[in-house]
Amino acid sequence: MDKSKIPAGQADALGALLDDHRAVKTLFKTFKDTEDRDGKESIAREVCQQLTVHATIEEEIFYPALRGVSDSIDDMLDEAKVEHQVAKDLIAAIEEDPGGDMLEANFTVLSEYVSHHVAEEEGELFNNVIKEKIDLRDVAPLMAARKEELTQEPS
């Protein structure tokens, strides 16, 4: 999704989520290109942290702001909730044993799963938000403040 084409009422909120998606996508590629085991573990920890913060912001602020606008958006939010839970389960497996034998497998599945989720979110949910002209101007600062709060907390 091209950030420059997002209407003003949604630009800050959707733009912030798009930035998160791009950052994690870059880290997934870096993980794949890294040969060093310590490097892979460090990248995996960073991805898990970023995804946890991102999912929290969506679940606490973004998704509730969309709930009830339309049945189709509600259906997408229900699916996103399930997808988030699966991602959280994979994140927990990675965080429990980042140096373990299953790191590559868990991280690969997480990468594929998150890529699928992002494609649906950007291609369907965000497009419906724009189509429905949902004003997210009040939501964006709440999202930014919550992200700041979550990234300042000790791990």
Side-chain angles (χ1 to χ4, degrees):
M1 172 170 274
D2 183 352
K3 284 174 45 173
S4 69
K5 300 202 185 320
I6 300 172
Q10 296 123 357
D12 289 344
L14 296 183
L17 296 174
L18 287 168
D19 289 345
D20 288 352
H21 292 170
R22 301 301 173 264
V24 170
K25 183 178 180 180
T26 298
L27 287 170
F28 282 138
K29 182 175 181 346
T30 302
F31 180 93
K32 189 175 181 179
D33 294 343
T34 298
E35 299 293 328
D36 176 58
R37 180 63 184 199
D38 290 340
K40 283 186 179 287
E41 290 174 25
S42 176
I43 294 164
R45 283 190 200 93
E46 176 65 20
V47 166
C48 289
Q49 168 64 17
Q50 285 191 28
L51 288 175
T52 299
V53 168
H54 180 83
T56 300
I57 291 165
E58 286 186 334
E59 292 169 5
E60 291 180 1
I61 301 167
F62 182 65
Y63 293 165
L66 308 179
R67 186 65 71 180
V69 171
S70 73
D71 289 343
S72 64
I73 287 177
D74 284 351
D75 289 345
M76 288 179 233
L77 295 176
D78 291 344
E79 186 177 326
K81 182 178 179 180
V82 173
E83 290 175 347
H84 278 199
Q85 187 55 55
V86 172
K88 288 176 188 178
D89 292 345
L90 288 164
I91 288 167
I94 291 166
E95 289 179 335
E96 283 174 22
D97 192 13
D101 293 339
M102 295 299 289
L103 175 63
E104 291 273 349
N106 284 325
F107 197 83
T108 298
V109 173
L110 179 64
S111 172
E112 292 167 353
Y113 207 79
V114 168
S115 294
H116 165 80
H117 174 74
V118 164
E120 282 190 344
E121 196 166 75
E122 291 181 12
E124 296 174 30
L125 182 60
F126 290 7
N127 285 331
N128 272 286
V129 167
I130 291 167
K131 183 179 92 178
E132 295 286 342
K133 297 179 172 67
I134 301 169
D135 190 343
L136 299 172
R137 281 180 261 247
D138 293 341
V139 173
L142 299 173
M143 290 169 53
R146 184 65 173 131
K147 183 174 185 174
E148 178 70 21
E149 179 184 336
L150 290 168
T151 55
Q152 298 304 315
E153 291 178 3
S155 300

